Amino acid sequence: MQKTAIVTGGSRGIGRGICLGLAAQSWAVVVNYRGNADAAQEAAALVEQAGGQALIVQADIGLTGDRERLVQATLDRFGRIDLLVNNAGMAPRLRADLLETSEESYDEVMAVNLKGPFFLTQRVAQAMIAQSRGIAPSPTVGEGWGGGTRPAIINIGSISAYTASVNRGEYCISKAGMGMMTALFADRLASHAINVYEVRPGIIETDMTSGVKAKYDALIGDGLTPIRRWGQPADIAAAVVALAEGSFPFSTGEIFNVDGGFHLRRL
Ligand SMILES: NC(=O)c1ccc[n+]([C@@H]2O[C@H](COP(=O)([O-])OP(=O)(O)OC[C@H]3O[C@@H](n4cnc5c(N)ncnc54)[C@H](OP(=O)(O)O)[C@@H]3O)[C@@H](O)[C@H]2O)c1
């Protein structure tokens, strides 16, 4: 049996790091992307070098038909889905003050960051339930996931779920919504032996943050985070792999901060 993961937005940044982390544990990985096919090819080649199998699927997570095609392509190739990582996300195309936020930007960010992951999770959960009939509801520690047969869903949230940034409010709202989405699916899917987690990155060095690098260099240097460095995609991947491999069988709905300690209240 080949344990299989869908990683949305797996072609670049954090998603690529997650694909490589899973590949190193011999997962088959579906590398999803929206527009940059070259980056997806590169990520897939790296997955195979790292010991995993890769399937590239172009699909816009914000579109109903594309989500269905992503799930179907995965089932056609691998016959199962053991892990969904809802990683694809976007910052607003324009950072606009809250009083100037456009409806177009609000709708686009919410479709990609919240509505898409919600309905993809719903669809994938149905597939997982169908394939997991007969699995005991909760193993004890040490039993793990029984060789990757126990499915899980991991949402990539953000410190923006609770940190107000008035020049990208729609992004913050989408990530706050994802926090509740994690709780809802964790509750609903526990009886189907599917654990749901959220990994909450802090400031991570990717294309998404490249435009604000100087700003964050200064903030981190001044001690914004107790651990004074940028996070790397591999930091997020380490958490995702630990969760995916079933290290925490009696935990669901848990939020795992990978943020250099950003979330700590300090005095
Ligand atoms: N970087 C950070 O500091 C940070 C912090 C907290 C949370 N996060 C979250 O972590 C996740 C990954 O961020 P990142 O920094 O790695 O971003 P990134 O470098 O901009 O990469 C985004 C990835 O998502 C894909 N993507 C974007 N929109 C998509 C859509 N509609 N459908 C399918 N794929 C789509 C992109 O594919 P294409 O290349 O084809 O466009 C790319 O693979 C996001 O959810 C983000 O909100 C990031």
Side-chain angles (χ1 to χ4, degrees):
M1 190 219 64
Q2 175 60 62
K3 49 190 184 176
T4 301
I6 296 176
V7 181
T8 67
S11 57
R12 291 191 285 118
I14 291 172
R16 180 185 288 198
I18 293 168
C19 287
L20 297 185
L22 292 169
Q25 300 299 320
S26 304
W27 285 74
V29 181
V30 177
V31 179
N32 158 251
Y33 73 103
R34 171 159 66 176
N36 187 339
D38 289 346
Q41 298 275 7
E42 208 177 271
L46 290 169
V47 162
E48 282 166 6
Q49 273 172 32
Q53 296 176 55
L55 171 68
I56 299 170
V57 181
Q58 187 286 330
D60 183 335
I61 293 307
L63 301 177
T64 310
D66 281 23
R67 290 192 297 269
E68 182 56 33
R69 193 162 47 69
L70 172 62
V71 171
Q72 211 45 63
T74 305
L75 294 173
D76 287 350
R77 168 73 184 271
F78 297 111
R80 57 185 301 110
I81 308 171
D82 300 285
L83 174 68
L84 167 64
V85 183
N86 281 309
N87 164 79
M90 64 179 292
R93 290 177 193 273
L94 184 72
R95 286 188 174 210
D97 178 77
L98 204 61
L99 301 183
E100 307 293 338
T101 303
S102 69
E103 280 199 43
E104 290 72 22
S105 178
Y106 183 97
D107 286 346
E108 185 184 23
V109 169
M110 293 296 273
V112 173
N113 292 5
L114 187 57
K115 180 181 171 187
F118 178 89
F119 286 103
L120 182 62
T121 299
Q122 183 190 68
R123 175 66 184 87
V124 167
Q126 288 161 356
M128 287 174 165
I129 288 167
Q131 95 196 5
S132 72
R133 293 218 162 87
I135 295 179
S138 184
T140 52
V141 73
E143 286 179 326
W145 257 221
T149 56
R150 182 168 297 270
I153 292 165
I154 301 175
N155 298 321
I156 305 301
S158 172
I159 54 176
S160 295
Y162 59 85
T163 305
S165 299
V166 294
N167 61 353
R168 51 194 164 100
E170 63 276 57
Y171 181 83
C172 298
I173 293 168
S174 71
K175 293 297 184 180
M178 182 170 252
M180 177 49 75
M181 185 185 127
T182 301
L184 288 166
F185 279 108
D187 183 11
R188 180 64 183 83
L189 297 178
S191 61
H192 294 287
I194 301 169
N195 284 7
V196 181
Y197 304 105
E198 180 169 331
V199 172
R200 214 167 247 189
I203 301 164
I204 313 297
E205 196 164 8
T206 68
D207 293 342
M208 188 181 272
T209 46
S210 59
V212 282
K213 183 158 186 340
K215 173 186 165 181
Y216 286 137
D217 277 345
L219 287 169
I220 292 167
D222 287 344
L224 177 71
T225 51
I227 300 175
R228 289 193 190 196
R229 68 163 173 86
W230 281 77
Q232 296 299 324
D235 291 311
I236 309 304
V240 169
V241 169
L243 294 165
E245 289 284 314
S247 303
F248 307 99
F250 199 48
S251 301
T252 192
E254 204 58 48
I255 293 167
F256 200 92
N257 293 292
V258 187
D259 62 358
F262 176 90
H263 66 283
L264 298 169
R265 281 173 187 263
R266 293 184 289 159
L267 199 58

mmCIF file of all heavy atoms in Angstrom, residues 82-83 128 137-139 145 150-154 185-186 189-197 243 246 248-253:
data_model
loop_
_atom_site.group_PDB
_atom_site.id
_atom_site.type_symbol
_atom_site.label_atom_id
_atom_site.label_comp_id
_atom_site.label_asym_id
_atom_site.label_seq_id
_atom_site.Cartn_x
_atom_site.Cartn_y
_atom_site.Cartn_z
ATOM 1 N N ASP A 82 -4.373 9.466 1.831
ATOM 2 C CA ASP A 82 -4.120 9.299 3.266
ATOM 3 C C ASP A 82 -3.925 10.629 3.973
ATOM 4 O O ASP A 82 -4.025 10.697 5.199
ATOM 5 C CB ASP A 82 -2.877 8.426 3.471
ATOM 6 C CG ASP A 82 -3.073 7.058 2.838
ATOM 7 O OD1 ASP A 82 -3.814 6.250 3.405
ATOM 8 O OD2 ASP A 82 -2.525 6.825 1.741
ATOM 9 N N LEU A 83 -3.595 11.654 3.209
ATOM 10 C CA LEU A 83 -3.283 12.949 3.811
ATOM 11 C C LEU A 83 -3.648 14.060 2.839
ATOM 12 O O LEU A 83 -3.313 13.986 1.651
ATOM 13 C CB LEU A 83 -1.776 13.021 4.115
ATOM 14 C CG LEU A 83 -1.234 14.360 4.611
ATOM 15 C CD1 LEU A 83 -1.767 14.662 6.015
ATOM 16 C CD2 LEU A 83 0.302 14.343 4.642
ATOM 17 N N MET A 128 -11.900 9.676 2.071
ATOM 18 C CA MET A 128 -11.186 9.007 3.177
ATOM 19 C C MET A 128 -12.128 8.110 3.976
ATOM 20 O O MET A 128 -11.751 7.008 4.381
ATOM 21 C CB MET A 128 -10.576 10.053 4.114
ATOM 22 C CG MET A 128 -9.359 10.763 3.535
ATOM 23 S SD MET A 128 -8.832 12.092 4.662
ATOM 24 C CE MET A 128 -7.186 12.436 4.026
ATOM 25 N N PRO A 137 -11.334 3.459 15.844
ATOM 26 C CA PRO A 137 -11.400 4.915 15.961
ATOM 27 C C PRO A 137 -10.144 5.576 16.488
ATOM 28 O O PRO A 137 -9.819 6.658 16.084
ATOM 29 C CB PRO A 137 -12.571 5.160 16.907
ATOM 30 C CG PRO A 137 -13.073 3.845 17.336
ATOM 31 C CD PRO A 137 -12.370 2.771 16.572
ATOM 32 N N SER A 138 -9.410 4.969 17.390
ATOM 33 C CA SER A 138 -8.203 5.633 17.880
ATOM 34 C C SER A 138 -7.175 4.626 18.360
ATOM 35 O O SER A 138 -7.424 3.881 19.302
ATOM 36 C CB SER A 138 -8.564 6.584 19.020
ATOM 37 O OG SER A 138 -7.406 7.273 19.416
ATOM 38 N N PRO A 139 -5.997 4.614 17.741
ATOM 39 C CA PRO A 139 -4.945 3.732 18.226
ATOM 40 C C PRO A 139 -4.338 4.333 19.487
ATOM 41 O O PRO A 139 -4.574 5.505 19.774
ATOM 42 C CB PRO A 139 -3.925 3.757 17.098
ATOM 43 C CG PRO A 139 -4.088 5.120 16.498
ATOM 44 C CD PRO A 139 -5.540 5.477 16.661
ATOM 45 N N TRP A 145 -0.061 5.212 12.919
ATOM 46 C CA TRP A 145 -1.167 5.212 11.976
ATOM 47 C C TRP A 145 -1.273 3.866 11.246
ATOM 48 O O TRP A 145 -1.866 3.765 10.196
ATOM 49 C CB TRP A 145 -0.955 6.318 10.948
ATOM 50 C CG TRP A 145 -1.756 7.553 11.094
ATOM 51 C CD1 TRP A 145 -2.341 8.232 10.062
ATOM 52 C CD2 TRP A 145 -2.072 8.295 12.260
ATOM 53 N NE1 TRP A 145 -2.994 9.335 10.541
ATOM 54 C CE2 TRP A 145 -2.848 9.402 11.885
ATOM 55 C CE3 TRP A 145 -1.796 8.141 13.621
ATOM 56 C CZ2 TRP A 145 -3.338 10.335 12.785
ATOM 57 C CZ3 TRP A 145 -2.273 9.069 14.517
ATOM 58 C CH2 TRP A 145 -3.030 10.151 14.093
ATOM 59 N N ARG A 150 -3.975 5.383 8.314
ATOM 60 C CA ARG A 150 -4.944 6.210 9.020
ATOM 61 C C ARG A 150 -4.902 7.621 8.446
ATOM 62 O O ARG A 150 -3.875 8.292 8.514
ATOM 63 C CB ARG A 150 -4.609 6.240 10.511
ATOM 64 C CG ARG A 150 -5.569 7.039 11.350
ATOM 65 C CD ARG A 150 -5.301 6.760 12.798
ATOM 66 N NE ARG A 150 -5.555 5.362 13.098
ATOM 67 C CZ ARG A 150 -6.753 4.907 13.501
ATOM 68 N NH1 ARG A 150 -7.755 5.729 13.685
ATOM 69 N NH2 ARG A 150 -6.938 3.638 13.727
ATOM 70 N N PRO A 151 -5.970 8.084 7.869
ATOM 71 C CA PRO A 151 -5.903 9.367 7.181
ATOM 72 C C PRO A 151 -5.881 10.570 8.116
ATOM 73 O O PRO A 151 -6.336 10.501 9.258
ATOM 74 C CB PRO A 151 -7.175 9.367 6.329
ATOM 75 C CG PRO A 151 -8.070 8.377 6.927
ATOM 76 C CD PRO A 151 -7.249 7.404 7.724
ATOM 77 N N ALA A 152 -5.358 11.678 7.617
ATOM 78 C CA ALA A 152 -5.297 12.921 8.384
ATOM 79 C C ALA A 152 -5.424 14.113 7.437
ATOM 80 O O ALA A 152 -5.182 13.996 6.228
ATOM 81 C CB ALA A 152 -3.983 13.012 9.157
ATOM 82 N N ILE A 153 -5.830 15.228 8.023
ATOM 83 C CA ILE A 153 -5.939 16.478 7.269
ATOM 84 C C ILE A 153 -5.171 17.541 8.042
ATOM 85 O O ILE A 153 -5.345 17.670 9.265
ATOM 86 C CB ILE A 153 -7.418 16.873 7.093
ATOM 87 C CG1 ILE A 153 -8.103 15.853 6.164
ATOM 88 C CG2 ILE A 153 -7.542 18.294 6.524
ATOM 89 C CD1 ILE A 153 -9.597 15.892 6.169
ATOM 90 N N ILE A 154 -4.308 18.257 7.350
ATOM 91 C CA ILE A 154 -3.499 19.293 8.000
ATOM 92 C C ILE A 154 -3.705 20.614 7.260
ATOM 93 O O ILE A 154 -3.479 20.698 6.041
ATOM 94 C CB ILE A 154 -2.007 18.909 8.002
ATOM 95 C CG1 ILE A 154 -1.811 17.569 8.738
ATOM 96 C CG2 ILE A 154 -1.170 20.016 8.657
ATOM 97 C CD1 ILE A 154 -0.396 17.015 8.705
ATOM 98 N N PHE A 185 -13.890 20.427 11.421
ATOM 99 C CA PHE A 185 -13.610 19.130 10.801
ATOM 100 C C PHE A 185 -13.014 18.145 11.798
ATOM 101 O O PHE A 185 -13.255 16.936 11.704
ATOM 102 C CB PHE A 185 -12.725 19.289 9.554
ATOM 103 C CG PHE A 185 -13.513 19.685 8.330
ATOM 104 C CD1 PHE A 185 -13.430 20.958 7.794
ATOM 105 C CD2 PHE A 185 -14.364 18.772 7.709
ATOM 106 C CE1 PHE A 185 -14.166 21.326 6.671
ATOM 107 C CE2 PHE A 185 -15.111 19.126 6.577
ATOM 108 C CZ PHE A 185 -15.006 20.403 6.061
ATOM 109 N N ALA A 186 -12.234 18.655 12.759
ATOM 110 C CA ALA A 186 -11.682 17.749 13.782
ATOM 111 C C ALA A 186 -12.822 17.079 14.538
ATOM 112 O O ALA A 186 -12.806 15.860 14.784
ATOM 113 C CB ALA A 186 -10.781 18.524 14.737
ATOM 114 N N LEU A 189 -14.934 14.663 12.072
ATOM 115 C CA LEU A 189 -14.261 13.495 11.477
ATOM 116 C C LEU A 189 -13.642 12.542 12.491
ATOM 117 O O LEU A 189 -13.167 11.469 12.122
ATOM 118 C CB LEU A 189 -13.185 13.978 10.483
ATOM 119 C CG LEU A 189 -13.731 14.763 9.281
ATOM 120 C CD1 LEU A 189 -12.590 15.231 8.383
ATOM 121 C CD2 LEU A 189 -14.736 13.938 8.475
ATOM 122 N N ALA A 190 -13.662 12.921 13.779
ATOM 123 C CA ALA A 190 -13.021 12.050 14.789
ATOM 124 C C ALA A 190 -13.642 10.656 14.797
ATOM 125 O O ALA A 190 -12.939 9.644 14.902
ATOM 126 C CB ALA A 190 -13.123 12.685 16.168
ATOM 127 N N SER A 191 -14.953 10.595 14.653
ATOM 128 C CA SER A 191 -15.606 9.278 14.703
ATOM 129 C C SER A 191 -15.305 8.453 13.451
ATOM 130 O O SER A 191 -15.608 7.264 13.400
ATOM 131 C CB SER A 191 -17.121 9.447 14.877
ATOM 132 O OG SER A 191 -17.639 10.166 13.783
ATOM 133 N N HIS A 192 -14.722 9.091 12.456
ATOM 134 C CA HIS A 192 -14.306 8.351 11.251
ATOM 135 C C HIS A 192 -12.808 8.063 11.280
ATOM 136 O O HIS A 192 -12.222 7.718 10.240
ATOM 137 C CB HIS A 192 -14.655 9.152 9.990
ATOM 138 C CG HIS A 192 -16.134 9.300 9.782
ATOM 139 N ND1 HIS A 192 -16.930 8.252 9.378
ATOM 140 C CD2 HIS A 192 -16.948 10.357 9.945
ATOM 141 C CE1 HIS A 192 -18.190 8.664 9.287
ATOM 142 N NE2 HIS A 192 -18.235 9.938 9.628
ATOM 143 N N ALA A 193 -12.194 8.263 12.450
ATOM 144 C CA ALA A 193 -10.758 7.966 12.608
ATOM 145 C C ALA A 193 -9.870 8.850 11.734
ATOM 146 O O ALA A 193 -8.818 8.433 11.268
ATOM 147 C CB ALA A 193 -10.478 6.494 12.333
ATOM 148 N N ILE A 194 -10.344 10.077 11.496
ATOM 149 C CA ILE A 194 -9.527 11.033 10.727
ATOM 150 C C ILE A 194 -9.176 12.186 11.665
ATOM 151 O O ILE A 194 -10.066 12.913 12.119
ATOM 152 C CB ILE A 194 -10.303 11.571 9.503
ATOM 153 C CG1 ILE A 194 -10.713 10.418 8.580
ATOM 154 C CG2 ILE A 194 -9.460 12.620 8.759
ATOM 155 C CD1 ILE A 194 -11.711 10.830 7.498
ATOM 156 N N ASN A 195 -7.895 12.342 11.970
ATOM 157 C CA ASN A 195 -7.471 13.460 12.816
ATOM 158 C C ASN A 195 -7.181 14.683 11.953
ATOM 159 O O ASN A 195 -6.691 14.566 10.830
ATOM 160 C CB ASN A 195 -6.240 13.080 13.639
ATOM 161 C CG ASN A 195 -6.602 12.171 14.805
ATOM 162 O OD1 ASN A 195 -7.753 11.726 14.917
ATOM 163 N ND2 ASN A 195 -5.641 11.881 15.651
ATOM 164 N N VAL A 196 -7.499 15.853 12.495
ATOM 165 C CA VAL A 196 -7.351 17.113 11.759
ATOM 166 C C VAL A 196 -6.487 18.053 12.593
ATOM 167 O O VAL A 196 -6.716 18.200 13.801
ATOM 168 C CB VAL A 196 -8.731 17.761 11.493
ATOM 169 C CG1 VAL A 196 -8.581 19.062 10.704
ATOM 170 C CG2 VAL A 196 -9.642 16.790 10.739
ATOM 171 N N TYR A 197 -5.504 18.660 11.956
ATOM 172 C CA TYR A 197 -4.578 19.553 12.659
ATOM 173 C C TYR A 197 -4.409 20.844 11.880
ATOM 174 O O TYR A 197 -4.688 20.915 10.689
ATOM 175 C CB TYR A 197 -3.196 18.900 12.784
ATOM 176 C CG TYR A 197 -3.214 17.546 13.461
ATOM 177 C CD1 TYR A 197 -3.072 16.371 12.715
ATOM 178 C CD2 TYR A 197 -3.370 17.448 14.830
ATOM 179 C CE1 TYR A 197 -3.080 15.130 13.334
ATOM 180 C CE2 TYR A 197 -3.383 16.204 15.461
ATOM 181 C CZ TYR A 197 -3.242 15.053 14.710
ATOM 182 O OH TYR A 197 -3.253 13.826 15.316
ATOM 183 N N LEU A 243 3.114 15.085 12.261
ATOM 184 C CA LEU A 243 1.661 14.897 12.379
ATOM 185 C C LEU A 243 1.177 13.824 11.400
ATOM 186 O O LEU A 243 0.377 12.953 11.750
ATOM 187 C CB LEU A 243 0.932 16.220 12.124
ATOM 188 C CG LEU A 243 1.185 17.325 13.167
ATOM 189 C CD1 LEU A 243 0.737 18.680 12.639
ATOM 190 C CD2 LEU A 243 0.466 16.997 14.476
ATOM 191 N N GLY A 246 1.630 10.194 12.254
ATOM 192 C CA GLY A 246 0.796 9.619 13.300
ATOM 193 C C GLY A 246 1.404 9.635 14.687
ATOM 194 O O GLY A 246 1.097 8.777 15.518
ATOM 195 N N PHE A 248 0.782 11.658 17.035
ATOM 196 C CA PHE A 248 -0.107 12.223 18.059
ATOM 197 C C PHE A 248 -1.533 11.672 17.930
ATOM 198 O O PHE A 248 -2.481 12.407 17.653
ATOM 199 C CB PHE A 248 -0.116 13.762 17.941
ATOM 200 C CG PHE A 248 1.262 14.356 17.966
ATOM 201 C CD1 PHE A 248 1.901 14.719 16.793
ATOM 202 C CD2 PHE A 248 1.929 14.525 19.168
ATOM 203 C CE1 PHE A 248 3.188 15.242 16.811
ATOM 204 C CE2 PHE A 248 3.216 15.045 19.205
ATOM 205 C CZ PHE A 248 3.846 15.398 18.027
ATOM 206 N N PRO A 249 -1.702 10.357 18.159
ATOM 207 C CA PRO A 249 -2.998 9.722 17.864
ATOM 208 C C PRO A 249 -4.154 10.189 18.736
ATOM 209 O O PRO A 249 -5.301 10.069 18.325
ATOM 210 C CB PRO A 249 -2.713 8.233 18.075
ATOM 211 C CG PRO A 249 -1.509 8.179 18.957
ATOM 212 C CD PRO A 249 -0.691 9.378 18.606
ATOM 213 N N PHE A 250 -3.856 10.719 19.946
ATOM 214 C CA PHE A 250 -4.940 11.138 20.840
ATOM 215 C C PHE A 250 -5.152 12.653 20.800
ATOM 216 O O PHE A 250 -5.790 13.233 21.672
ATOM 217 C CB PHE A 250 -4.630 10.670 22.274
ATOM 218 C CG PHE A 250 -5.833 10.637 23.180
ATOM 219 C CD1 PHE A 250 -7.023 10.036 22.784
ATOM 220 C CD2 PHE A 250 -5.794 11.221 24.439
ATOM 221 C CE1 PHE A 250 -8.137 10.012 23.614
ATOM 222 C CE2 PHE A 250 -6.903 11.203 25.290
ATOM 223 C CZ PHE A 250 -8.074 10.594 24.868
ATOM 224 N N SER A 251 -4.629 13.310 19.784
ATOM 225 C CA SER A 251 -4.794 14.763 19.614
ATOM 226 C C SER A 251 -5.478 15.031 18.287
ATOM 227 O O SER A 251 -5.061 14.506 17.249
ATOM 228 C CB SER A 251 -3.434 15.464 19.597
ATOM 229 O OG SER A 251 -2.729 15.225 20.785
ATOM 230 N N THR A 252 -6.509 15.850 18.339
ATOM 231 C CA THR A 252 -7.095 16.335 17.085
ATOM 232 C C THR A 252 -7.593 17.756 17.305
ATOM 233 O O THR A 252 -7.846 18.170 18.435
ATOM 234 C CB THR A 252 -8.211 15.401 16.569
ATOM 235 O OG1 THR A 252 -8.525 15.785 15.215
ATOM 236 C CG2 THR A 252 -9.487 15.470 17.416
ATOM 237 N N GLY A 253 -7.669 18.527 16.213
ATOM 238 C CA GLY A 253 -8.062 19.931 16.322
ATOM 239 C C GLY A 253 -6.954 20.791 16.895
ATOM 240 O O GLY A 253 -7.164 21.962 17.205
#
